Amino acid sequence: MPAGFERQTKTFLGTTRDVYYRGDGPGVVLMHEIPGITPEVAEAARRIADAGFRVAMADLFGTVDKAFSPAYSMKQIARACISREFHVLARNGASPITKWLRALARDLYDETLAAGVDARGVGCLGMCLTGNFGLALAVDPWVRAPVLSQPSLPFGVSPSHRSALHLSGEDLVTLKRRGQDENLRIMGLRFTEDPLCPAGRFRRLERELGDAFVPIEIDSAKGNPHGVSRTAHSVLALDFLDQDGHPTRQALDRVLAFFGEELR
């Protein structure tokens, strides 16, 4: 178990999973990246919790606390590709597992209200394979601060896949309405040269959502001033550098500010 977390078992929609909790305050559902809850992902969750939020991080795939390696990552991607819970090529519909995560978000919101936390809703943070899931969660009114970090679904096997949102048209209409009527904002993070999270996906979000979408794109082109690798992908975990002035640290600071502004 990641150090500093408490583990609870949660059952929604007939499926039981371990969920790791840390912190107090408004709730944030953290949806970990491939290959699983690595030490870097757990550290990202600690940073969010220690900034004054209650983080709930469900174990979705992989082995908790196992270090990242390319072989481990490829094995988990292969498993996701054949899983009934993940539809990795779906352009116009969210993966089935988002229904379970929506239930977790509601449960976390109810928990924070029961604890006397004055919160407007909960936030969520998806990473890589789960990056787009924040869009599906934000259909629900209690989700107030969705963050999409390097959203990588659907896999970019064609031009239409590279600009797709892994979301149904009906849910996209709901997000547009929430943006107009409820001032919902959706934040997105990516490295500029990341082929797993194509620029076309962010441009599509800008076209569809307008000012409701807040993009943060970190320069990873050759010769960039911070020496960010052209292969950088994981903004808040594996490629994160906790150093003042570094763009990934600035991105984290903006995410924490976003959660505070929208949830408190």
Side-chain angles (χ1 to χ4, degrees), residues 159-165 190 192 194-195 197-208 213 217:
S160 64
H161 283 81
R162 288 192 285 274
S163 63
L165 303 181
R190 68 179 291 270
T192 58
D194 182 5
C197 179
R201 189 158 295 149
F202 272 36
R203 304 294 80 80
R204 171 83 183 280
L205 286 163
E206 289 171 337
R207 291 194 303 270
E208 297 285 2
F213 181 59
E217 296 182 270

Side-chain angles (χ1 to χ4, degrees), residues 101-124:
L101 291 164
R102 287 170 66 180
L104 174 63
R106 180 54 193 261
D107 183 73
L108 180 60
Y109 183 46
D110 290 344
E111 176 193 326
T112 57
L113 292 181
V117 176
D118 186 14
R120 300 172 62 204
V122 298
C124 63

Side-chain angles (χ1 to χ4, degrees), residues 109-150:
Y109 183 46
D110 290 344
E111 176 193 326
T112 57
L113 292 181
V117 176
D118 186 14
R120 300 172 62 204
V122 298
C124 63
L125 168 63
M127 301 173 160
C128 182
L129 192 74
T130 68
N132 294 76
F133 291 1
L135 296 174
L137 268 63
V139 169
D140 293 323
W142 47 85
V143 175
R144 286 292 316 173
V147 178
L148 324 177
S149 191
Q150 71 271 6

Side-chain angles (χ1 to χ4, degrees), residues 2-264:
F5 290 81
E6 58 175 304
R7 181 174 61 197
Q8 297 183 25
T9 299
K10 293 287 184 177
T11 301
F12 306 116
L13 306 174
T15 299
T16 300
R17 288 187 171 85
D18 287 339
V19 182
Y20 297 91
Y21 291 87
R22 180 182 174 100
D24 298 294
V28 174
V29 174
L30 190 150
M31 299 167 283
H32 63 81
E33 62 190 12
I34 287 286
I37 302 178
T38 61
E40 292 84 1
V41 168
E43 185 59 28
R46 288 188 196 94
R47 293 187 182 103
I48 295 169
D50 295 350
F53 303 94
R54 180 156 178 78
V55 173
M57 179 172 56
D59 181 6
L60 304 178
F61 44 78
T63 302
V64 175
D65 254 355
K66 183 174 179 176
F68 174 89
S69 73
Y72 176 33
S73 183
M74 291 303 297
K75 183 177 181 180
Q76 294 307 315
I77 290 173
R79 287 185 173 180
C81 287
I82 61 174
S83 170
R84 294 180 179 179
E85 294 184 306
F86 297 90
H87 291 174
V88 298
L89 296 179
R91 290 171 291 181
N92 301 310
S95 288
I97 199 171
T98 57
K99 295 179 180 179
W100 194 94
L101 291 164
R102 287 170 66 180
L104 174 63
R106 180 54 193 261
D107 183 73
L108 180 60
Y109 183 46
D110 290 344
E111 176 193 326
T112 57
L113 292 181
V117 176
D118 186 14
R120 300 172 62 204
V122 298
C124 63
L125 168 63
M127 301 173 160
C128 182
L129 192 74
T130 68
N132 294 76
F133 291 1
L135 296 174
L137 268 63
V139 169
D140 293 323
W142 47 85
V143 175
R144 286 292 316 173
V147 178
L148 324 177
S149 191
Q150 71 271 6
S152 303
L153 294 188
F155 291 157
V157 296
S158 73
S160 64
H161 283 81
R162 288 192 285 274
S163 63
L165 303 181
H166 199 62
L167 188 75
S168 71
E170 180 181 358
D171 285 349
L172 181 57
V173 169
T174 298
L175 294 187
K176 290 180 178 181
R177 178 192 57 76
R178 290 199 67 199
Q180 294 172 355
D181 298 347
E182 304 172 35
N183 197 30
L184 174 74
R185 293 187 295 158
I186 298 170
M187 180 173 283
L189 316 175
R190 68 179 291 270
F191 290 104
T192 58
E193 306 305 303
D194 182 5
L196 297 177
C197 179
R201 189 158 295 149
F202 272 36
R203 304 294 80 80
R204 171 83 183 280
L205 286 163
E206 289 171 337
R207 291 194 303 270
E208 297 285 2
L209 300 176
D211 292 341
F213 181 59
V214 182
I216 298 175
E217 296 182 270
I218 297 173
D219 184 5
S220 59
K222 184 178 180 179
N224 69 81
H226 292 278
V228 176
S229 170
R230 295 185 70 182
T231 63
H233 170 67
S234 175
V235 177
L236 299 178
L238 195 64
D239 294 299
F240 177 81
L241 185 60
D242 192 10
Q243 183 180 91
D244 287 342
H246 194 270
T248 57
R249 170 65 181 276
Q250 293 174 339
L252 173 64
D253 290 343
R254 290 186 64 182
V255 168
L256 296 176
F258 178 58
F259 285 153
E261 292 162 5
E262 297 300 322
L263 301 180
R264 293 197 174 102

